Amino acid sequence: MPTSHVDSDLALVSADWWPPTAARLTVYLAALGVTDAAEVAQLTEQVRQQVASRAAAAPLEDTIEAAIEATLALLDAWLLTELGEADPNALAAARAAVLSGEVPGWTQRWLDGAAAESDTLAPQLRALQLTAVPPLAPLPMPTSTIDLCCQRARRQFSGAICRWFCQPDARVPAPGESA
Amino acid sequence: MSRHFFGLGRYFHRPIFFLLTMLTTLGAMSLLSAAIQDGGITPLELALLILYAILMLWITASFWTAALGFVRILRRQRQPAVSKTAPLLNDLNEPFRTAIVMPVYNEDPERVFAGLRATYQSLVETGQADSFEVFVLSDTRDPDVWVQEEMQWRRWAREVGEPARIFYRNRVENTARKSGNLAEFCRNWGGRYRYMIVLDADSIMAGETLVEMVRRMEADPRLALVQVPPVPVNRSSLFARMLQFAGSLYGSMFAAGLSYWQQNTANFWGHNAIIRVRPFTEHCGLPQLPGNEPFGGEILSHDFVEAALLARAGWKVQLADDLGGSYEEIPPTLIDYAKRDRRWCQGNLQHSRLVLARGFKGASRIHFIMGVMSYLASPLWLLFLIATGIEAYFHSLTVPVYFFGDNVLPVWPQSYAVEMATVLWVTLTLLFLPKVLSLVLLAFDPALARRFGGLPKAALSVLIESFFSVLLAPVLMLFQSKFVAAILLRTTVGWPTQERGDHQTGFAEAVGAHSVHTLVAVVTGTATYLYVPDFFWWFTPVLAGLALSIPVSMLTSRIALGQWARRLGLFLTPEESAEPRVLALLEQQLQQTAAPAGAASGDFWLRAVVNPCTYALHAAQLPDEAPSRRRRHALEGLIFKLQDAGLNGLSTREKRALISHRDGLAELHTLLWAGAKPPLQPPAR
């Protein structure tokens, strides 16, 4: 993680509100599955730099919120590096796979960053991606017609009434006229 | 020659059934009309006669269905089917897939997935699971249940592994309820499957049965639907065990009888059936009926209509009464049973509009009429009883005149007691003889009798079950009459969703449901005792059922009583005496799908929002779609509401909306984690 460009902003996040943010971040990282003290410290530092960078660009409304977002962004960035090209569905599936503990030692790998191409986690992550639905195989299903008796009778009746009252000429052709 | 003759026999099945039904009805009618036409017929007597005719037709149709079923099973017992080795499915023709689909709507996910897992495991044990895929078609709206379903699916899909055979989808909008759910599946994935086997949330089917269903469809290319009658199982209360016993013992006879006269125009009961996908999609897209509810709008009981549409298009629809391995679970108490009736009642009454619709086959029209009658019979019985009471009252006012005209000797009033008694006995015979016939079947098949606990215990069970059915019948009559009246008056009765698990009726619940019944019994009993004392004694079976409805409802809901009866060998069913493999698998799977200890019910929605793991799993299931401005605003509004009113301030619908899109979910996740207190402490994994 490059740090030089955020050095000037570090002061921004070194204010009094950082300790509570860091405390919350520790709980959040634990919820993610990162419990090793060294790993927590390393990730907290990375998040702090991210938040500082954001704070430098624009005032932050809530630093804890920014820290949580930064953590997830770091996670996604690492997963994208592991997966190479990945659509949002593959990324979401990979995140689900690591967070559900299906990839042993993933936290260390997250900190270390993606290894060489030969050692990538991509095959493992893709294998863990579950197919919720098979590829679409559409069939047309037109709406059937059910000709109800009452409907038919009503149609015939109203047709007869209409013919009788609205179009009396159509009912009986006048003498000398064709129907 | 004789073979040719027997081949023609199938053309006589339906005429035989209808002839027997009509003749019996006419016979009973002539008896009653002879009894009541004492010096002409009054309008009230005419009404009585018409009501009796309709009700007799209903009873005799049911009786002859059972009686023909009895003969059929007896013949089958004497000519056992030749066993043959069935070919593997994939050897039959070119490879094809069959989908096992289960539409679910806010059902208990543990039970849903345990049932499916058991069915699938049973299929795996046949060695022919490769051509089957399981599809959970969720219409669930409850966000907690939705998240649980996803977790269950994920766990199972992970266990089964590749190639993926377990699928799950949750519909964004549950348009047209269950029929819309199935239609959406067909429209999206129908081209992938040749057949689909439709299961209900409480269905369980044995693997051999599934394979045999497919085999039958393959054997007859004109066959579009095979319905396998489900046998009720797995409940422990006395009420449910009596129903299970009746369903198992008499049900097979009725199914055989139905299959005898329905032939290739049988009915679809909504689940435990196999459907040929292509004709289903071509002919079963259901239209909306013109007009408003309850008789217009969406077709609620879609199954009857789908069977009728398939038959109309020339496809065969059959009832496989000879196939076992098809199970379902039933409501555990009388009140739950009535709740289920409430849901079905409206759909069945709606069919009255379809009876005369153009193009349907005669047998399909009869199915519609039978569906309507299964609920309309209750108010008709009620009217019949009221009319009989009024008639008896008028008779009690009549003073006999012994001397009139030039007669020197007294003219004694003619007695019709014999005719009336005969009418009563004929009616009772038609109602109870099928139960006796089922015992005769057991007498002919000692092995089967043993599975029902032995003939003496089965006979005792029939006796007790008949006693309770006499007590419960008037209660159900009033329940169903109320439902029909409510539907006709376009008011809602407001029953909640169905309770599927075992539970017992408490005093407050029983009083709430049956106090009106008790009151009716007291008022009617007092009135008849004071004004028509002769009628009162005839009326006591009905009055007793209503007067005792509260204790009977509570008593029959007791699980301990049901289990005690089981220990005594009463109401024993073949499934209880020798548990089928698939039901044993269900028990195992229920442990597998049970929620982890400490997981509070109703907290899954929150877990999907705050627990990073559950959040990620749920988000992975959501569609990847660009957020629209309108949706963004709606989600922001909900998030503000959440901030102002707290978690409990959101409705179920709003909670669902918040977790239905990745962007809303992500925002909520971050927001809750940035709150004053962390939402998880210590972390829940």
Side-chain angles (χ1 to χ4, degrees), chain A residues 38-154:
Chain A
E39 288 175 356
V40 170
Q42 252 182 294
L43 277 169
T44 307
E45 180 54 27
Q46 285 184 21
V47 170
R48 193 167 74 101
Q49 287 170 3
Q50 288 265 324
V51 174
S53 165
R54 276 184 61 186
L60 292 176
E61 205 173 301
D62 188 331
T63 51
I64 299 181
E65 202 175 316
I68 303 293
E69 281 170 0
T71 311
L72 290 174
L74 280 171
L75 180 66
D76 286 354
W78 164 63
L79 287 170
L80 276 173
T81 324
E82 290 286 357
L83 289 168
E85 294 266 318
D87 60 41
N89 289 330
L91 181 64
R95 197 195 297 156
V98 293
L99 292 182
S100 56
E102 287 166 350
V103 183
W106 69 275
T107 53
Q108 187 56 50
R109 182 67 174 253
W110 181 16
L111 286 165
D112 295 346
E117 203 171 309
S118 58
D119 190 30
T120 177
L121 281 179
Q124 195 180 347
L125 290 173
R126 289 196 200 284
L128 288 168
Q129 189 173 343
L130 291 173
T131 314
V133 289
L136 290 177
L139 265 190
M141 191 168 181
T143 304
S144 293
T145 308
I146 298 180
D147 198 2
L148 298 180
C149 165
C150 53
Q151 240 183 324
R152 211 162 54 230
R154 197 166 51 198

Side-chain angles (χ1 to χ4, degrees), chain A residues 24 27-28 31-32 65 88-89 99-100 102 128 130-132 134-135 137-139 141-145 147-149 152, chain B residues 153 158 167-168 187-191 281 283 285 287 312 353 356-358 612 621 624 662 669-670 673 675-676 678 685:
Chain A
R24 178 64 55 86
V27 180
Y28 187 66
L32 289 180
E65 202 175 316
N89 289 330
L99 292 182
S100 56
E102 287 166 350
L128 288 168
L130 291 173
T131 314
L139 265 190
M141 191 168 181
T143 304
S144 293
T145 308
D147 198 2
L148 298 180
C149 165
R152 211 162 54 230
Chain B
W153 164 76
R158 173 78 61 233
F167 301 117
Y168 171 89
R187 288 191 177 108
N188 285 336
W189 295 284
T281 54
H283 304 290
R312 186 177 79 172
R353 293 188 73 188
L356 295 176
R358 182 182 283 176
Q621 294 312 117
D624 176 42
R662 282 186 187 164
H669 176 75
T670 315
W673 271 100
R685 295 284 304 165

Side-chain angles (χ1 to χ4, degrees), chain B residues 59-282:
Chain B
I59 294 174
T60 47
S62 177
F63 168 77
W64 282 114
T65 300
L68 290 168
F70 166 77
V71 176
R72 211 167 182 214
I73 293 177
L74 210 59
R75 283 186 61 182
R76 206 182 286 158
Q77 280 177 359
R78 293 183 171 189
Q79 301 162 358
V82 183
S83 89
K84 54 187 176 194
T85 312
L88 290 175
L89 286 181
N90 283 337
D91 297 343
L92 289 169
N93 266 315
E94 79 277 13
F96 60 91
R97 291 192 187 95
T98 300
I100 299 172
V101 297
M102 185 183 272
V104 291
Y105 174 77
N106 292 345
E107 300 286 350
D108 172 15
E110 290 175 18
R111 171 60 188 83
V112 163
F113 278 86
L116 274 174
R117 277 166 169 261
T119 300
Y120 187 75
Q121 181 57 34
S122 171
L123 193 57
V124 169
E125 288 173 7
T126 65
Q128 304 200 50
D130 289 354
S131 52
F132 290 84
E133 288 178 350
V134 180
F135 227 117
V136 181
L137 305 174
S138 172
D139 249 355
T140 293
R141 303 291 96 189
D142 186 317
D144 285 313
V145 181
W146 179 19
V147 175
Q148 271 179 283
E149 282 172 3
E150 283 178 351
M151 312 273 279
Q152 292 282 359
W153 164 76
R154 193 179 169 85
R155 214 161 90 190
W156 187 22
R158 173 78 61 233
E159 282 170 29
V160 172
E162 294 291 328
R165 290 216 182 91
I166 314 296
F167 301 117
Y168 171 89
R169 77 100 173 83
N170 182 273
R171 214 155 49 123
V172 178
E173 297 288 338
N174 60 342
T175 317
R177 304 174 212 202
K178 189 174 168 186
S179 63
N181 194 357
L182 268 181
E184 200 247 18
F185 164 76
C186 290
R187 288 191 177 108
N188 285 336
W189 295 284
R192 186 177 170 88
Y193 304 103
R194 188 178 294 179
Y195 308 113
M196 61 177 174
I197 295 172
V198 184
L199 301 182
D200 212 4
D202 56 15
S203 297
I204 308 131
M205 292 196 81
E208 297 93 342
T209 307
L210 299 175
V211 171
E212 179 57 28
M213 287 161 90
V214 175
R215 195 175 286 128
R216 285 185 186 194
M217 296 295 274
E218 281 292 285
D220 187 349
R222 293 304 300 164
L223 187 56
L225 193 151
V226 175
Q227 173 69 57
V228 184
V231 174
V233 291
N234 278 353
R235 294 277 80 92
S236 306
S237 69
L238 183 65
F239 176 82
R241 289 204 61 244
M242 283 193 293
L243 277 191
Q244 283 169 186
F245 174 76
S248 228
L249 186 58
Y250 323 139
S252 57
M253 215 164 58
F254 278 96
L258 285 174
S259 174
Y260 173 83
W261 67 263
Q262 291 181 348
Q263 296 178 302
N264 288 327
T265 319
N267 210 349
F268 176 32
W269 301 351
H271 55 91
N272 294 34
I274 186 168
I275 298 172
R276 195 180 292 272
V277 175
R278 210 160 272 275
F280 185 81
T281 54
E282 281 166 9

Side-chain angles (χ1 to χ4, degrees), chain B residues 471-671:
Chain B
L471 285 180
L472 296 175
V475 181
L476 283 172
M477 176 184 74
L478 285 196
F479 266 133
Q480 290 178 347
S481 302
K482 179 182 156 187
F483 300 154
V484 172
I487 289 163
L488 293 178
L489 294 170
R490 289 162 166 77
T491 57
T492 53
V493 178
W495 285 109
T497 50
Q498 185 181 333
E499 180 72 51
R500 291 193 195 265
D502 263 326
H503 78 121
Q504 303 185 125
T505 304
F507 181 69
E509 191 186 3
V511 169
H514 301 296
S515 52
V516 173
H517 304 151
T518 314
L519 194 68
V520 167
V522 171
V523 172
T524 320
T526 312
T528 48
Y529 187 76
L530 290 176
Y531 298 106
V532 208
D534 288 344
F535 183 63
F536 174 79
W537 297 108
W538 288 98
F539 205 35
T540 43
V542 177
L543 291 176
L546 295 176
L548 298 172
S549 55
I550 292 174
V552 167
S553 183
M554 287 175 67
L555 192 76
T556 54
S557 76
R558 298 296 109 173
I559 294 168
L561 210 55
Q563 287 168 340
W564 179 66
R566 184 173 176 168
R567 282 195 295 276
L568 291 180
L570 293 175
F571 310 117
L572 212 59
T573 62
E575 290 72 27
E576 285 176 335
S577 42
E579 190 176 43
R581 169 77 180 144
V582 72
L583 295 184
L585 284 170
L586 175 68
E587 280 174 29
Q588 289 172 20
Q589 295 297 342
L590 275 170
Q591 289 163 4
Q592 188 89 357
T593 57
S601 64
D603 72 346
F604 282 88
W605 175 80
L606 192 59
R607 277 172 63 180
V609 176
V610 297
N611 184 309
C613 172
T614 318
Y615 157 71
L617 293 175
H618 179 65
Q621 294 312 117
L622 296 175
D624 176 42
E625 48 188 12
S628 64
R629 272 165 59 102
R630 193 174 163 190
R631 198 177 80 208
R632 264 253 35 90
H633 283 293
L635 288 176
E636 275 170 12
L638 288 178
I639 288 173
F640 284 136
K641 187 174 177 184
L642 175 71
Q643 285 172 321
D644 293 343
L647 284 171
N648 295 327
L650 292 176
S651 67
T652 304
R653 194 187 172 86
E654 289 167 336
K655 284 180 180 176
R656 181 185 160 85
L658 273 173
I659 63 163
S660 293
H661 308 282
R662 282 186 187 164
D663 46 336
L665 187 64
E667 193 161 331
L668 198 58
H669 176 75
T670 315
L671 192 82

